[in-house]
Amino acid sequence: MTELVADAPSTQWLPMHEFHYNIFFHLRGGQLQRAKELAADNGHRYLANALAVCRPCQDLHNASTIGAGLKQPAQGSFYGDLWMRACWRVASSPTCSPYKRAVYGALSGNLEAMLPACTTWEDQLWARMRAVVDVCVEQELSTAKQQGRSHGPLPPGYQSDRGTFEAVFRDLQAAVGASETLDKEITHIVQRGIVLGDGVSLVEEIHDWITGQQIEPPLLTMRFLAHVALLLGQVGPETRTAAYSALLCAYIEMLIHDGRASLAATCAAAL
């Protein structure tokens, strides 16, 4: 770059992949404060401000709940909707690098801007879930009465339908396809079941996955799945179905066959 200004990557079409990648990395990990500090330290004040105010305004200074004389700074901004629309425009700009678009897309709920930077199943799940949550927040704010000002219109193209977590997983499966390895596949099955909060279906899917394998799953994989079933059985007794018992029996048989019968007592006691 030939200009030492913050918007030089956009004006000269020379993207700063590493900087925006690091910002996106921290956002992906939930480290919003670290991302804000990184942007400020590198002279990106606009991005640092966007990271600070692109959230619902919350005034924590309430003497009735936190005690008189104890002040805390307010979070977010009354003009968060304006910042959100500005971030949406940056995320929609074709002159920006993929990771810059992803950063501003994460701040504005722009799923199409986030997805190109999401290279794994987990990253795509995070982006899709974040977009759903952002839509829910914006819809709640648009109807909230305890606000200092009314929110302006949402950006053109902003998703108006809240959608469901079930729809998120259907869209994700359609986008990723069936190119997963066996270990990844079962991990994603477990993640989906936990996110959806459906323990009964999760145990059934785990059992179907095990019985559908041509090669016996590794002992460590079976150990993980058996302990997931044990945990679900303690949290919700309704998960103790025939599939639950069959899964634990299969794990016990593997332990005995592997010469580790002493470890089978815990699982056997849960039958």
Side-chain angles (χ1 to χ4, degrees), residues 203-216:
V203 173
E204 295 284 348
E205 285 194 71
I206 291 176
H207 177 259
D208 293 342
W209 180 85
I210 293 174
T211 56
Q213 301 304 310
Q214 297 180 354
I215 303 176
E216 187 178 73

Side-chain angles (χ1 to χ4, degrees), residues 95-109:
T95 63
C96 296
S97 68
Y99 280 106
K100 182 176 181 178
R101 294 185 62 194
V103 167
Y104 284 96
L107 297 178
S108 59

Side-chain angles (χ1 to χ4, degrees), residues 61-71:
H61 180 50
N62 188 337
S64 63
T65 58
I66 64 175
L70 182 59
K71 295 183 178 180

Side-chain angles (χ1 to χ4, degrees), residues 22-23 26-41 47-49 51-53 55 73-76 107:
N22 290 334
I23 295 292
H26 290 301
L27 285 178
R28 171 68 178 85
Q31 301 170 341
L32 184 61
Q33 183 61 30
R34 182 68 188 97
K36 176 185 172 183
E37 294 172 355
L38 182 61
D41 292 343
L47 177 56
N49 289 334
L51 290 165
V53 303
R55 65 178 75 176
Q75 296 180 356
L107 297 178

Side-chain angles (χ1 to χ4, degrees), residues 27-252:
L27 285 178
R28 171 68 178 85
Q31 301 170 341
L32 184 61
Q33 183 61 30
R34 182 68 188 97
K36 176 185 172 183
E37 294 172 355
L38 182 61
D41 292 343
N42 284 270
H44 291 257
R45 296 293 177 179
Y46 181 88
L47 177 56
N49 289 334
L51 290 165
V53 303
C54 275
R55 65 178 75 176
C57 182
Q58 182 180 12
D59 190 356
L60 301 179
H61 180 50
N62 188 337
S64 63
T65 58
I66 64 175
L70 182 59
K71 295 183 178 180
Q72 296 188 22
Q75 296 180 356
S77 170
F78 282 114
Y79 301 96
D81 57 319
L82 301 180
W83 279 93
M84 188 269 285
R85 290 201 294 273
C87 291
W88 182 280
R89 285 198 296 269
V90 177
S92 303
S93 174
T95 63
C96 296
S97 68
Y99 280 106
K100 182 176 181 178
R101 294 185 62 194
V103 167
Y104 284 96
L107 297 178
S108 59
N110 192 328
L111 178 60
E112 296 302 322
M114 287 188 283
L115 287 180
C118 298
T119 57
T120 66
W121 188 91
E122 289 78 8
D123 289 342
Q124 288 208 21
L125 175 61
W126 169 82
R128 294 174 186 274
M129 287 293 187
R130 184 181 179 97
V132 170
V133 172
D134 283 346
V135 171
C136 294
V137 171
E138 289 301 326
Q139 290 186 354
E140 291 295 330
L141 290 177
S142 64
T143 58
K145 297 181 179 179
Q146 298 179 349
Q147 296 190 90
R149 53 181 290 274
S150 59
H151 276 213
L154 295 174
Y158 193 87
Q159 183 178 350
S160 58
D161 183 18
R162 288 194 179 196
T164 62
F165 287 170
E166 291 82 0
V168 166
F169 282 102
R170 286 197 301 269
D171 294 342
L172 178 58
Q173 183 62 33
V176 173
S179 59
E180 300 177 327
T181 62
L182 294 181
D183 291 340
K184 284 290 185 181
E185 181 184 358
I186 188 57
T187 302
H188 297 163
I189 289 175
V190 173
Q191 287 177 320
R192 181 176 69 247
I194 292 176
V195 170
L196 298 180
D198 190 353
V200 176
S201 297
L202 175 55
V203 173
E204 295 284 348
E205 285 194 71
I206 291 176
H207 177 259
D208 293 342
W209 180 85
I210 293 174
T211 56
Q213 301 304 310
Q214 297 180 354
I215 303 176
E216 187 178 73
L219 180 59
L220 284 178
T221 301
M222 287 295 297
R223 178 187 179 188
F224 165 68
L225 298 177
H227 281 80
V228 169
L230 287 172
L231 176 60
L232 293 174
Q234 292 181 349
V235 174
E238 68 277 1
T239 61
R240 298 180 181 179
T241 60
Y244 172 88
S245 300
L247 170 59
L248 295 185
C249 287
Y251 177 56
I252 291 172

